[in-house]
Amino acid sequence: MPVDLRPSQALRLMQEVNLSLVRDSEQDLSARQLTILLTVYLEPPPHTVRGLAAKLKVTKPAITRALDTLGSMRLLSRKRDEADKRNVIISRTVEGSLYLEQLGDLVAEKAKTLPR
């Protein structure tokens, strides 16, 4: 079901969600890290460093740095592709699923409080 927001409401929602993440999370994610995380969870696998770099139009080292952080937080994992050792496969984790479930709940909660 489409949601009809005015630009000011959309920006307010972004502000409220990000404010909550900064205040309440142990470690808040950068826009790049969050985009990678959402891409891996919302789009069908497989996901590779090369594929994410192409999709986001950033370098492979930029993806690798983001994955280092996301991996240390256990939100994603990665391993070498046995079929093609040049590829690194990015996988979902239980912790990442829980993080995004809570994020989805937060966005829905904040959307309900938007002034109409």
Side-chain angles (χ1 to χ4, degrees):
M1 157 169 80
V3 177
D4 189 22
L5 295 177
R6 293 185 309 276
S8 62
Q9 289 175 306
L11 292 172
R12 177 65 64 191
L13 179 58
M14 283 184 67
Q15 180 195 28
E16 291 296 326
V17 168
N18 282 305
L19 186 58
S20 291
L21 290 174
V22 169
R23 285 181 176 163
D24 299 336
S25 294
E26 293 177 20
Q27 184 175 2
D28 53 306
L29 301 179
S30 71
R32 180 175 292 154
Q33 292 163 347
L34 186 55
T35 300
I36 291 169
L37 187 63
L38 288 167
T39 300
V40 169
Y41 280 83
L42 297 177
E43 296 184 6
H47 299 283
T48 63
V49 171
R50 182 179 301 146
L52 289 170
K55 179 166 187 63
L56 274 65
K57 295 187 169 92
V58 297
T59 64
K60 289 189 291 185
I63 296 295
T64 299
R65 285 189 300 274
L67 290 173
D68 288 344
T69 300
L70 294 167
S72 71
M73 295 172 73
R74 302 182 66 188
L75 299 177
L76 291 174
S77 66
R78 59 188 159 171
K79 65 178 182 173
R80 283 268 170 219
D81 182 355
E82 292 302 319
D84 183 350
K85 301 276 188 199
R86 298 170 298 168
N87 285 330
V88 175
I89 303 293
I90 291 71
S91 302
R92 302 167 182 165
T93 64
V94 171
E95 293 88 344
S97 294
L98 291 173
Y99 179 88
L100 286 179
E101 183 177 336
Q102 291 170 350
L103 179 58
D105 290 343
L106 175 65
V107 172
E109 173 190 320
K110 295 299 179 183
K112 289 177 188 173
T113 65
L114 285 176
R116 297 288 165 192

